[in-house]
């Protein structure tokens, strides 16, 4: 592969990371317009966010195996095609049902893009240092996408309307798709078997759980639809356990869930996303529907929160090397819990500057936590399980995000009482962060394992974007 092709592949991988992570946060700024233009209910708005997260979590669990089986190029092209086409459907949607179904498909395409993109980005690396540097750039692109989401969404909604938020993916995706078909080299496949039964039952489990949580406040916990969804979730759980025991290549190897350090760290990741993405959802509605602010101003108010995440992520690795990951986790979680309460207090002021100031430490501490938790999840297990651990941890985070949005929706309350509802949401987020802080003591064994050899297997920079799989030499 010549230098131009190498650069082209890396650029495509960076674009993919940006698109995937920007769509995790950009849609929050469309919620007010979706409510007015399409007459969306609160549960339908929750699905506009959760449809993407749900499919992302379900497919991401097996996305690494899909990449190994189909090959990185085929998986990348398929993911980009699905992502771009579903974005076009979202942009043209005439109803919330059409939009939310397309968001489900969009999330599946995003899950296919992530592991294939990082494999392609690092396939041309000539040594370990270059590989680490490429993964760092890929992770940074994802962090920029996450930070830019609310601001970009607010600007597009203010200048055009909510449809432009999805149309921009089409504008970027079509040239990227043509580019990848013409110039992207193939990467050797590993021939890893697909655990289709595990992927199917995991999808039923996650889908049933999230549907029940989203729809129960509106339909009632004893409604036939909610009971059916809950029953499907239980059946999916049982089926997943049986499928994992029967296959030779399980999505979750026994070494993962039998390790106390990994389980504790996965729970921390879920609790963090529960609080963080729930806050994004509640804050977007509070600012626009509760305070009557425009989309652009609301997007700017998100910047102290999302923008400081990138800075915190950069600082996480050197701080962890100096003080240890457990110390960084403990301090970060304590600061985040305290600043959640500060955000609740600041939201009672008619002025906006107290809220802006309170969001700064919340963003920085969040940036510290994400890569540190992901490093702990990988360091808790032996090197052979790093890929599975990364996928499982990322899936737990996405499930936490979906549950957070589902829980914060009803907690936020009616449109005429969003101020009090927002305080309730933020206090619940603080409580979830305190629980994660208590779990930090259980994650300490991960640091001990890291010192026995795992530390050099996965660079800190490989996880800065939130837990995606580190490249494996077999893909080169």
């Amino acid at each position: 592969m010549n230098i131009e092709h190498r650069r082209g592949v890396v650029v495509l991988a960076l674009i993919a990371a940006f698109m995937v992570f920007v769509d995790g946060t950009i849609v929050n700024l469309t919620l007010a317009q979706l409510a007015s233009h399409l007459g969306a209910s609160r549960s339908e708005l929750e699905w506009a966010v959760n449809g993407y997260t749900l499919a992302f979590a379900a497919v991401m669990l097996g996305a690494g195996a899909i990449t190994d089986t189909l090959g990185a190029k085929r998986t990348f092209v398929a993911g980009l095609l699905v992502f771009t086409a579903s974005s076009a459907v979202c942009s043209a949607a005439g109803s919330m049902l059409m939009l939310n179904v397309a968001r489900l498909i969009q999330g599946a395409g995003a899950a296919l893009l992530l592991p294939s993109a990082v494999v392609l980005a690092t396939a041309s690396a000539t040594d370990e240092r270059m590989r680490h540097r490429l993964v760092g750039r890929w992770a940074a692109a994802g962090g920029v996408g996450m930070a830019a989401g609310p601001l970009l969404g607010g600007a597009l909604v203010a200048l055009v309307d909510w449809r432009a938020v999805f149309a921009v993916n089409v504008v970027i995706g079509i040239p990227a798709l043509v580019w990848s078909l013409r110039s992207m080299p193939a990467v050797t496949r590993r021939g890893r078997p697909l655990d289709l039964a595990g992927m199917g039952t995991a999808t039923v489990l996650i889908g049933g759980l999230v549907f029940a949580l989203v729809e129960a406040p509106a339909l009632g916990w004893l409604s036939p639809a909610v009971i059916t969804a809950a029953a499907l979730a239980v059946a999916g759980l049982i089926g997943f356990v049986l499928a994992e025991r029967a296959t030779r290549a399980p999505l979750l190897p026994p070494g993962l869930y039998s390790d106390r350090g990994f389980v504790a760290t996965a729970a921390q990741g879920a609790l963090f996303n529960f609080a963080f993405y729930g806050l994004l959802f509640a804050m977007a509605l509070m600012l626009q529907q509760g305070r009557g602010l425009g989309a652009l101003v609301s997007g700017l108010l998100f910047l102290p929160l999302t923008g400081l995440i990138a800075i915190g992520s950069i600082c996480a690795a050197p701080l962890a090397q100096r003080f240890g990951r457990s110390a960084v986790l403990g301090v970060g979680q304590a600061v985040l819990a305290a600043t959640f309460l500060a955000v609740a207090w600041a939201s009672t002021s008619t002025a906006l500057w107290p809220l802006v100031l309170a969001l700064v430490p919340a963003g920085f501490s969040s940036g510290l936590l994400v890569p540190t938790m992901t490093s702990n999840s990988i360091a808790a297990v032996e090197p052979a399980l790093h890929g599975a651990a990364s996928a499982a941890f990322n899936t737990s985070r996405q499930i936490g995000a979906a549950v957070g949005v589902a829980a914060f929706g009803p907690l936020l309350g009616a449109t005429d009482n969003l101020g009090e509802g927002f305080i309730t949401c933020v206090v619940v987020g603080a409580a979830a962060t305190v629980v994660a802080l208590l779990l930090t003591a259980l994650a300490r064994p991960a640091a001990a394992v890291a010192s026995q050899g795992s530390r050099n297997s996965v660079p800190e920079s490989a996880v800065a974007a939130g837990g995606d799989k580190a490249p494996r030499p077999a893909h080169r």
Side-chain angles (χ1 to χ4, degrees), residues 272 313 365-375 393 397 463-467:
F272 169 78
S313 297
S365 58
S366 296
L368 290 178
L369 290 176
V370 172
T372 308
M373 287 187 298
T374 311
S375 295
F393 175 74
R397 286 186 60 212
V463 294

Side-chain angles (χ1 to χ4, degrees), residues 234-284:
V234 173
L237 175 61
I238 296 172
F240 182 74
V241 172
L242 295 176
E244 293 299 276
R245 289 181 175 179
T247 183
R248 293 180 299 174
L251 295 176
L252 294 180
L256 288 183
Y257 50 81
S258 63
D259 187 282
R260 187 182 69 174
F262 175 80
V263 172
T265 305
Q268 287 177 318
L271 288 166
F272 169 78
N273 270 34
F274 170 89
F276 183 82
Y277 282 90
L279 173 64
L280 292 183
F281 178 83
M283 186 171 159

Side-chain angles (χ1 to χ4, degrees), residues 375-393:
S375 295
N376 260 359
S377 71
I378 294 173
V381 298
E382 61 187 33
L385 296 177
H386 281 174
S390 182
F393 175 74

Side-chain angles (χ1 to χ4, degrees), residues 172-247:
I172 298 173
I174 290 178
L177 186 60
V178 174
W179 189 4
S180 61
L181 287 172
R182 294 183 58 182
S183 62
M184 183 175 289
V187 179
T188 304
R189 290 181 287 176
R190 295 180 62 198
R192 177 182 173 185
L194 282 176
D195 181 11
L196 295 177
M199 293 172 62
T201 52
T203 301
V204 172
L205 165 61
I206 298 170
L209 174 64
V210 174
F211 183 91
L213 290 172
V214 171
E215 297 297 335
L219 301 179
W221 285 99
L222 297 180
S223 67
V226 173
I227 292 176
T228 301
L232 284 174
V234 173
L237 175 61
I238 296 172
F240 182 74
V241 172
L242 295 176
E244 293 299 276
R245 289 181 175 179
T247 183

Side-chain angles (χ1 to χ4, degrees), residues 29 32 154-155 157-158 284 287-289 291-301:
L29 272 296
V157 169
L287 291 175
Q288 294 183 82
Q289 291 185 342
R291 292 204 174 200
L293 300 177
L296 182 57
V297 174
S298 299
L300 288 170
L301 289 175

Side-chain angles (χ1 to χ4, degrees), residues 14 16 25 61 84 89 141 156 162 178 192 199 205 231 262 266 280 294 298-299 312 317 319 324 344 434 445 470:
L14 299 183
T25 56
L61 197 58
T84 304
V89 175
L156 289 172
W162 64 268
V178 174
R192 177 182 173 185
M199 293 172 62
L205 165 61
F262 175 80
L280 292 183
S298 299
L319 288 175
V434 170

Side-chain angles (χ1 to χ4, degrees), residues 141-163:
V144 171
M146 182 181 180
L151 180 58
L152 181 60
L156 289 172
V157 169
L159 297 175
V160 189
D161 64 11
W162 64 268
R163 297 184 187 277

